[in-house]
Amino acid sequence: MSDETFEPRIVGFLCNWCSYRAADLAGTARIHYAPNVRIIRTMCTGRVDPTFVLKALALGADGVMIAGCHPGECHYLEQNFKALRRYQMLKHTLRALGIEEKRLRLQWASAAEGAQLAAAISEMTETVRRLGPLNWRDNWDEGDRYEQAIESLAREHAEALEVPA
Amino acid sequence: MSEREASPSGKGKLALYWAASCGGCEIAVLGIDDKILQVAEAFDIIFWPCVMDGKVRDVEKVPDKGIDLCLFNGGIRTSEQEYMARLLRRKSKVLVAFGSCAHEGCIPGLANLSSKEEIFQTAYHDTPSTDNPQGVEPQPETKVPEGTLHLPVFYDTLKTLDQTVPVDYYLPGCPPEPERIWDALTAILQGELPPPGSVIGATTTVCEECQRTRHEKKIKEFKRTWQIIPDPDTCLLEQGLICAGIATRAGCGALCPQVNSPCIGCYGPNEGVQDFGACMMSAIASVIDSDDPEEIERIIEQGIPDPVGTFYRFSLAHSLLRRGRLKGSGNGRVPVVADAAVEEG
Ligand code: SF4
Ligand code: SF4
Ligand code: FES
């Protein structure tokens, strides 16, 4: 489904030490990039619990980006490798739930790579735009479509289950 | 219980109900053995369809909050189950989600990977044991000369009890261990209950109850249970078996690791964990011994062919996402995104 007017909502978890600064740099350098990512600053990609990603998708995000320091440059030793393993594990599970793996992206971007991060954001925005809205809640929320069936039970019981004295 | 209604016998009123579940929870209640007599001393059991005769109509006639304690097992898959959940909520002072199905959806919740159509296709057409030459499927409404007959409506998505009505307490486990049931009943009888909304149980993990020795875990290859005979004394996860003891609430005494089988998570998430599968994914990802994206991918794909069944075996319905993406149209509903999943295959 390609909906040209659809503006994806992407949640970005950006590491404080690199990618968050890269986003800042992209801003101050006036690099043009898609405005679709809502940025949440984390201290490290290792802080990004899979719960955060699932919660973002459950609450209406169309995609999630996790961005942090390049391998070997994490400020907390090897936490970005942990992030890499979690990301792969998440993708594996999301796929099994019917969610396209391209809705989740792991991006390395150092504090100096404002242009690279901006390009990744624009690219991901286009990818998710092509995939279309996720609208996860509509997937399970059945609203009040069963209300009538439920209420009719009470009525039927009152009519049919009364044993005359 | 101080505010107990004065019934003719001076006892409290107890109800037990069974919705979308296997029935094991009903047996588990009887697992408390002769202590059931103490329960009968403290309570008049006014409704327990599995064990004694009783009519829904009688429950409907109980004044609101006229039942002191209701132990409700099973998830909510049909309009009738939702009706009973609402009814018993209204009539009960204390409503307990009893067992994994009511608490988290459990195995019936795994059917949230399919739509209603797919479930019916399997159940009424495809299984080898199905004999249904006319291809009959249950209909919510059937007209007969005498009038219209109704069957409960089957939902696309199984809900947990607390996704349906407010729940006071949770008793985890598939099924809950008799000792834990008795602990909970004693707490309720003595009015020594934790704050409403709590799980009545331990606040540590199965690992805490497990006697196996542990070292640093570094896994290059996950194993399925049929592939190895594990060493009986070493942590199963260290040996490559995916053991959910790390994320699962204690309470069973580590029954499965005791018999050389990994925990599969039936007691649900430990205190403070919102999404059991997320906790498992995080923990299992951490023990993978590789920094190379391709090797990591291979370890995961070869070792965990069924990630949802592995990480959400008991908790899919209660997870943040609640279900798999609907591809077909469930109950006549057109799915939100039809082609995207197909596009990527
Ligand atoms: S992971 Fe499993 S085998 Fe290892 S200590 Fe925990 S419960 Fe025991
Ligand atoms: S070890 Fe795990 S799966 Fe086995 S009974 Fe205990 S909680 Fe349930
Ligand atoms: S500090 Fe940036 S990824 Fe760890």
Side-chain angles (χ1 to χ4, degrees), chain B residues 173-175 177 206 209 243-245 248-258 261-268 314:
Chain B
C174 175
E177 286 302 309
V206 173
E209 298 182 311
C243 183
T248 306
R249 188 183 293 267
C252 67
L255 278 179
C256 300
Q258 263 182 49
S261 195
C263 170
I264 51 176
C266 84
Y267 256 68
F314 295 91

Side-chain angles (χ1 to χ4, degrees), chain B residues 160-189:
Chain B
T160 63
L161 187 59
D162 72 356
Q163 288 166 349
T164 310
V165 294
V167 165
D168 297 309
Y169 299 104
Y170 303 84
L171 204 56
C174 175
E177 286 302 309
E179 293 77 26
R180 300 291 85 72
I181 299 173
W182 184 244
D183 291 347
L185 285 172
T186 319
I188 290 165
L189 284 169

Side-chain angles (χ1 to χ4, degrees), chain A residues 1 49-52 54-55 57-58 78 81-82 84-86 88-103 127 130-136 138-142 145-147 149-154 156-158 161-162, chain B residues 56-57 60-61 79-80 82-83 86 113 150 153-157 274-275 278 281-282 284-286 288 290-291 293-294 296-297 300-301 304-305 307-308 311-312 316 320-327 330-331 333 336-337 339-341 343-344:
Chain A
M1 180 156 66
D49 191 292
T51 310
F52 300 177
L54 297 174
K55 198 165 185 175
L57 297 174
E78 305 241 300
F81 284 113
K82 207 176 201 175
L84 168 68
R85 291 179 214 125
R86 284 182 183 154
Q88 309 236 59
M89 194 67 93
L90 257 169
K91 272 205 308 187
H92 186 51
T93 304
L94 289 180
R95 233 182 284 136
L97 288 167
I99 297 176
E100 303 86 351
E101 59 178 88
K102 286 186 182 146
R103 291 186 188 271
T127 305
R130 266 198 309 281
L131 291 175
L134 186 61
N135 273 344
W136 194 259
D138 284 1
N139 198 39
W140 56 261
D141 190 352
E142 317 213 42
R145 47 205 292 269
Y146 301 127
E147 276 315 304
I150 297 166
E151 279 158 23
S152 70
L153 276 166
E156 283 173 18
H157 289 177
L161 296 185
E162 260 330 307
Chain B
V56 176
R57 192 71 191 130
E60 287 167 344
K61 287 179 176 173
S79 54
E80 186 207 23
E82 177 145 14
Y83 172 76
R86 290 185 192 180
L113 285 173
H150 290 104
V153 179
F154 191 94
Y155 296 179
D156 263 317
T157 304
Q274 187 175 17
D275 189 290
M281 282 189 262
S282 182
I284 297 298
S286 313
I288 296 176
S290 172
D291 290 341
E294 270 154 41
I296 297 171
E297 187 159 354
I300 292 175
E301 300 211 333
I304 311 171
V308 180
F311 301 137
Y312 289 106
L316 180 61
L320 282 161
L321 294 177
R322 295 193 184 206
R323 62 161 305 130
R325 184 101 157 259
L326 274 176
K327 294 202 186 84
N331 285 339
R333 195 151 50 122
V336 198
V337 182
D339 312 327
E343 186 179 300
E344 279 209 337

